[in-house]
Amino acid sequence: MKREDVEKLLGWAREAQKVFEESGETDFEELRRREKREIYDRFEGSGFDVRNGSIDKYTGYEAVDIGDLTARFYFYNDSNYPYDMLLFIDEEYVPVQEFVQHLEDLLEGKTTIVNLTPHETTVYDAAGESVLQVIPSSGMARAAQTREPLDSINGIPVSKTGYGAVEGLPDQRDGVVYIVSVLTAQAAPDRTDLYIVDELVRDDTGQILGYKALAQI
């Protein structure tokens, strides 16, 4: 993807993110008509032609592909403005904030870190005193659990548990790594892009506040 296209797309995505934040919504369908028009007009104003994009015959979404990124818009009949918008990185649906982060990382030549644990994670400095970064959750990858009943102890059921295939984990792609749980990382030993949090930072009561490093298993 040309740097010029990344810069134009990033400028638009930041404005779209601002609209979402000001509205309090996370789903394009829930935005007001005026807000949808603002996002769409800025997209076309950035030089991206939606109406000449390819139309998915199954979903009806018109797709604009820019390198490994895709913006898909759905129009009702002959409406001039979209009812829905979806953003994708390598065919994986992402929220607008992750779309923005990916574009920023592309410009800076940085690796994109995607948090696939249920909660945001907080990165601290080496001293464990200052917060360097907060990485929001972008979904959840987990190892499917199996359970085989065995017996009981004093009336309490006993099972043998195991972990199978990982669910919710995107395909590996260049420039992107994923923060996952220990169990998830252990269940996907062939993946080189999975990391767990390491060197935990705790408060005086032992409560985990964040971490100072990442590690691989």
Side-chain angles (χ1 to χ4, degrees):
M1 190 189 315
K2 295 180 180 179
R3 184 178 181 86
E4 177 185 357
D5 288 336
V6 175
E7 291 174 343
K8 288 193 300 183
L9 196 57
L10 176 58
W12 166 78
R14 283 173 172 164
E15 292 298 326
Q17 183 178 18
K18 188 183 301 182
V19 173
F20 276 102
E21 290 174 347
E22 291 176 351
S23 72
E25 301 290 350
T26 58
D27 191 330
F28 188 88
E29 291 181 341
E30 300 302 322
L31 294 176
R32 298 182 180 89
R33 183 177 300 178
R34 170 182 56 80
E35 294 165 335
K36 292 180 179 181
R37 288 181 175 179
E38 181 179 351
I39 290 175
Y40 179 71
D41 284 344
R42 287 183 180 276
F43 187 80
E44 284 204 318
S46 298
F48 302 109
D49 192 348
V50 176
R51 289 301 190 172
N52 284 337
S54 60
I55 301 178
D56 188 309
K57 65 180 180 180
Y58 297 108
T59 66
Y61 280 81
E62 299 197 30
V64 179
D65 296 313
I66 309 103
D68 64 342
L69 308 176
T70 304
R72 297 179 183 173
F73 296 89
Y74 181 79
F75 296 85
Y76 273 144
N77 300 322
D78 295 326
S79 173
N80 292 324
Y81 290 97
Y83 172 74
D84 194 18
M85 177 190 76
L86 301 174
L87 301 174
F88 293 82
I89 301 174
D90 279 340
E91 297 302 315
E92 176 197 349
Y93 167 72
V94 296
V96 66
Q97 63 266 26
E98 187 174 330
F99 198 76
V100 168
Q101 184 64 59
H102 181 71
L103 289 166
E104 290 175 342
D105 291 343
L106 282 177
L107 284 181
E108 297 176 13
K110 293 170 56 179
T111 297
T112 298
I113 302 175
V114 179
N115 174 16
L116 292 182
T117 67
H119 309 288
E120 67 180 22
T121 65
T122 304
V123 186
Y124 279 80
D125 63 5
E129 297 175 352
S130 300
V131 174
L132 300 179
Q133 185 178 2
V134 176
I135 305 175
S137 172
S138 295
M140 182 177 176
R142 66 184 185 89
Q145 185 176 14
T146 60
R147 184 176 290 105
E148 178 186 351
L150 294 179
D151 204 342
S152 64
I153 298 176
N154 296 338
I156 303 173
V158 176
S159 300
K160 180 179 181 180
T161 61
Y163 295 90
V166 176
E167 302 171 345
L169 183 62
D171 292 336
Q172 191 163 341
R173 64 178 189 260
D174 293 339
V176 181
V177 298
Y178 300 95
I179 298 176
V180 297
S181 68
V182 173
L183 285 175
T184 299
Q186 290 175 332
D190 295 333
R191 293 286 293 257
T192 60
D193 57 341
L194 304 185
Y195 291 79
I196 62 171
V197 300
D198 195 26
E199 297 187 40
L200 300 180
V201 177
R202 301 176 184 269
D203 63 17
D204 294 338
T205 66
Q207 181 76 25
I208 295 176
L209 301 176
Y211 56 97
K212 296 185 287 184
L214 295 173
Q216 286 194 301
I217 293 179

